[in-house]
């Protein structure tokens, strides 16, 4: 009996265990080399290519509320009737941190080749209020940053930007103005010296009107001198924010 013949069953067993603990979102049995998201789902994902376009729908949306925005991009277009809504729900509410990390890695591979993101110096996730984080157990935007960091080779900072006021769920607010009012003044920069003069990437899971990210950017720009801000989200709802 060779060493290889002993190791192979162990690998298969670990793979089976991983699929039981973290099954693919679509329910398909993963093939060799697949992890978390099957190749078919990756192939059919409605990617935006925002990261290679100087002008794109996310830039147009975010530059209204973030003065001197450097760039903005979403990995894929989010449609509420699509199957990808299930994936977003799983990474936000069902404890599937692995999906957020895997999607972050996927997005990071695209961003590191883009001329708009090559000089990013720090990844900043949109923070959760401590009560919501305690209830959920994690912040999905932080997990996305973990994946982005692995692919881009850029460090993340989970401490400098804080949510200091608990806000009501944005998803229940359809009106863009109402969303902006809900998060106004909800964030504070606690370590401005770490961001001053740097090109940072604000990271979120889903952009609808962009009100939450804009409130984060306002807190950063208020206290960090010379900061440049770009935005990245896994998904963007097309046509939102009117």
């Amino acid at each position: 009996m060779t060493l290889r013949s002993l190791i192979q069953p162990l690998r298969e067993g670990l793979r089976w265990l991983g699929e039981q603990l973290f099954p693919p979102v679509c329910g398909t049995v993963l093939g060799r080399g697949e992890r978390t998201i099957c190749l078919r789902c990756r192939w059919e994902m409605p990617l935006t290519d925002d990261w290679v376009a100087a002008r794109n729908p996310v830039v147009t949306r975010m530059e209204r509320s973030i003065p001197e925005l450097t760039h903005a991009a979403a990995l894929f277009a989010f449609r509420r009737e699509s199957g990808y809504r299930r994936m977003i729900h799983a990474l936000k509410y069902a404890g599937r941190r692995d999906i957020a990390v895997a999607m972050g890695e996927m997005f990071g591979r695209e961003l590191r080749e883009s001329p708009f993101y090559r000089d990013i110096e720090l990844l900043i996730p949109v923070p959760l209020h401590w009560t919501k984080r305690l209830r959920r157990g994690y912040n999905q935007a932080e997990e996305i940053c973990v994946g982005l960091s692995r692919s881009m080779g850029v460090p993340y900072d989970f401490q400098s930007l804080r949510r200091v006021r608990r806000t009501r769920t944005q998803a229940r607010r359809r009106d863009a103005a109402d969303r902006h009012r809900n998060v106004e003044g909800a964030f504070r920069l606690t370590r401005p010296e770490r961001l001053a003069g740097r090109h940072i990437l604000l990271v979120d899971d889903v952009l609808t009107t962009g009100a939450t990210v804009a409130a984060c950017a306002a807190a950063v720009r208020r206290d960090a001198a010379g900061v440049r801000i770009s935005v990245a989200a896994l998904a963007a709802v097309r046509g939102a924010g009117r």
Side-chain angles (χ1 to χ4, degrees):
M1 182 175 292
T2 65
L3 180 60
R4 183 172 182 176
S5 66
L6 291 172
I7 292 176
Q8 189 61 31
L10 178 60
R11 285 179 174 171
E12 293 297 328
L14 290 173
R15 179 183 169 193
W16 176 87
L17 179 60
E19 290 178 0
Q20 304 310 304
L21 294 174
F22 303 107
V25 181
C26 65
T28 302
V29 176
L30 293 176
R32 185 178 297 276
E34 296 178 336
R35 182 168 60 90
T36 307
I37 305 167
C38 73
L39 290 177
R40 180 178 177 180
C41 286
R42 288 174 184 257
W43 178 258
E44 295 179 350
M45 188 176 294
L47 300 180
T48 65
D49 290 334
D50 285 345
W51 49 91
V52 297
R55 301 293 303 175
N56 64 59
V58 182
V59 168
T60 300
R61 185 181 311 171
M62 296 309 306
E63 68 182 359
R64 302 171 189 169
S65 51
I66 302 180
E68 302 176 4
L69 174 74
T70 300
H71 202 265
L75 178 62
F76 66 91
F78 182 74
R79 302 177 182 88
R80 288 188 171 86
E81 67 276 9
S82 75
Y84 292 97
R85 182 177 186 177
R86 178 181 174 187
M87 181 181 70
I88 293 295
H89 188 276
L91 71 87
K92 284 173 71 84
Y93 305 116
R96 293 297 305 272
R97 303 161 74 152
D98 60 311
I99 297 174
V101 174
M103 294 297 293
E105 288 180 348
M106 180 179 176
F107 199 9
R109 287 191 288 271
E110 304 294 347
L111 295 182
R112 73 185 179 194
E113 301 301 325
S114 166
F116 305 111
Y117 296 90
R118 287 177 184 165
D119 64 343
I120 292 291
E121 298 172 85
L122 203 58
L123 307 173
I124 307 291
V126 170
L128 289 178
H129 191 266
W130 69 268
T131 56
K132 182 175 287 188
R133 184 190 176 94
L134 184 64
R135 184 171 67 250
R136 186 175 297 176
Y138 63 98
N139 177 358
Q140 69 276 4
E142 290 182 359
E143 303 303 322
I144 296 168
C145 282
V146 170
L148 286 170
S149 180
R150 290 177 182 175
S151 293
M152 299 175 71
V154 176
Y156 48 75
D157 181 343
F158 296 167
Q159 303 299 321
S160 292
L161 184 63
R162 297 294 183 93
R163 189 182 291 246
V164 294
R165 180 170 61 82
R166 183 174 180 176
T167 57
R168 295 184 179 182
T169 303
Q170 290 283 73
R172 298 177 182 175
R173 287 168 157 72
R174 300 298 182 186
D175 181 74
D178 191 24
R179 283 175 175 251
H180 281 276
R181 285 192 297 269
N182 186 46
V183 293
E184 186 176 2
F187 303 94
R188 180 178 300 162
L189 192 60
T190 60
R191 300 177 181 178
E193 71 281 356
R194 297 192 62 175
L195 277 60
R198 307 179 82 176
H199 187 186
I200 70 166
L201 186 63
L202 285 176
V203 178
D204 204 359
D205 53 1
V206 181
L207 281 176
T208 305
T209 64
T212 303
V213 171
C216 289
V220 170
R221 293 181 69 252
R222 184 173 57 244
D223 294 323
V227 67
R228 296 169 59 211
I229 298 175
S230 289
V231 172
L234 290 187
V237 179
R238 293 309 199 204
R242 295 191 180 92

